[in-house]
């Protein structure tokens, strides 16, 4: 199981923390400020992304210009920001990484990845245009027919699983949401 480094100092007052089970009914060890008593929680990070598809069925992938996995292909995705919904975050990431104009669709997959402390949410999206303007995090944005997807060059397992399920569902005419737990 993934564990982030322990919180050593309070983000509110700067005092050192102690690690104990809070006396508020919680059952997990938390970082508790020795100065102001604030309990600090560490929760999974949400990664939000899209499966942008052109009207002819081609799927948008982005070649990463950042680590991890520099030079590998991925669906446009990134960390959700405070103040946005998951679908808004997926649309923002698609714009930032690919410069793509999309119409956001339904939630497609929710993938729990406890090994890295993340939950990935991917949405279906329709490309309104095939004009792409990749941002600085992307070397290249390109549309792929299903048979041309560079499976061996995909950056993340969550992207591979999402694309596989998406293509299977598309062929079978299904519109289900997938909840997937990866180890």
């Amino acid at each position: 199981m993934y564990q982030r480094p322990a919180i050593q100092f309070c983000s509110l007052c700067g005092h050192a923390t102690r690690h104990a089970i809070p006396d508020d009914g919680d059952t997990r060890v938390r970082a508790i400020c020795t100065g102001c008593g604030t309990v600090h929680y560490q929760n999974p990070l949400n990664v939000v992304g899209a499966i942008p598809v052109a009207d002819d069925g081609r799927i948008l992938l982005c070649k990463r210009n950042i680590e991890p996995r520099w030079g590998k292909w991925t669906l446009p995705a990134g960390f959700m920001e405070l103040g946005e919904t998951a679908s808004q975050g997926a649309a923002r990431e698609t714009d930032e990484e690919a410069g793509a104009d999309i119409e956001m669709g339904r939630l497609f997959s929710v993938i729990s990845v406890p090994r890295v402390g993340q939950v990935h949410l991917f949405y279906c999206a329709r490309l309104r245009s095939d004009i792409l303007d990749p941002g600085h995090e992307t070397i290249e944005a390109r549309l792929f027919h299903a048979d041309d997807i560079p499976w061996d060059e995909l950056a993340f397992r969550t992207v591979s699983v999402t694309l596989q399920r998406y293509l299977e569902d598309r062929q079978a005419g299904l519109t289900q949401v997938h909840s997937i737990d990866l180890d």
Side-chain angles (χ1 to χ4, degrees), residues 145-175:
H145 289 285
D147 293 341
D148 298 326
I149 292 173
W151 294 102
D152 292 338
E153 297 175 44
L154 294 179
F156 305 105
R157 186 172 169 208
T158 55
V159 171
S160 297
V161 168
T162 296
L163 284 170
Q164 288 168 352
R165 298 273 171 97
Y166 174 79
L167 292 171
E168 289 168 2
D169 284 7
R170 184 166 81 176
Q171 185 171 359
L174 300 174
T175 58

Side-chain angles (χ1 to χ4, degrees), residues 3-183:
Q3 199 163 351
R4 288 190 187 98
I7 297 170
Q8 299 297 318
F9 298 96
C10 179
S11 61
L12 297 177
C13 72
H15 279 86
T17 61
R18 65 181 175 85
H19 293 85
I21 296 174
D23 60 5
D24 61 1
D26 199 337
T27 59
R28 293 180 181 248
V29 172
R30 309 285 184 189
I32 304 169
C33 179
T34 58
C36 68
T38 297
V39 178
H40 295 276
Y41 298 89
Q42 291 183 293
N43 302 107
L45 297 172
N46 292 322
V47 173
V48 291
I51 310 164
V53 180
D55 289 340
D56 66 1
R58 292 177 298 159
I59 299 170
L60 172 66
L61 296 178
C62 299
K63 187 178 264 191
R64 293 175 60 81
N65 194 32
I66 57 173
E67 292 294 350
R69 313 270 167 62
W70 182 92
K72 298 291 185 182
W73 292 96
T74 188
L75 290 166
F79 292 110
M80 185 174 161
E81 298 287 350
L82 293 174
E84 66 185 6
T85 66
S87 63
Q88 288 169 339
R92 176 187 49 76
E93 287 291 341
T94 302
D95 181 50
E96 288 177 3
E97 294 186 5
D101 181 19
I102 61 168
E103 177 184 317
M104 189 58 67
R106 67 181 177 81
L107 178 64
F108 179 76
S109 64
V110 178
I111 306 173
S112 297
V113 195
R115 181 178 47 79
V116 293
Q118 297 175 357
V119 177
H120 294 212
L121 299 97
F122 286 97
Y123 288 82
C124 293
R126 185 181 73 79
L127 280 168
R128 292 184 178 128
S129 168
D130 60 0
I131 297 171
L132 306 173
D133 184 22
H136 71 279
E137 293 183 358
T138 303
I139 297 169
E140 175 185 2
R142 187 190 316 167
L143 296 169
F144 289 89
H145 289 285
D147 293 341
D148 298 326
I149 292 173
W151 294 102
D152 292 338
E153 297 175 44
L154 294 179
F156 305 105
R157 186 172 169 208
T158 55
V159 171
S160 297
V161 168
T162 296
L163 284 170
Q164 288 168 352
R165 298 273 171 97
Y166 174 79
L167 292 171
E168 289 168 2
D169 284 7
R170 184 166 81 176
Q171 185 171 359
L174 300 174
T175 58
Q176 60 190 350
V177 176
H178 295 272
S179 178
I180 303 162
D181 295 330
L182 296 181
D183 52 7

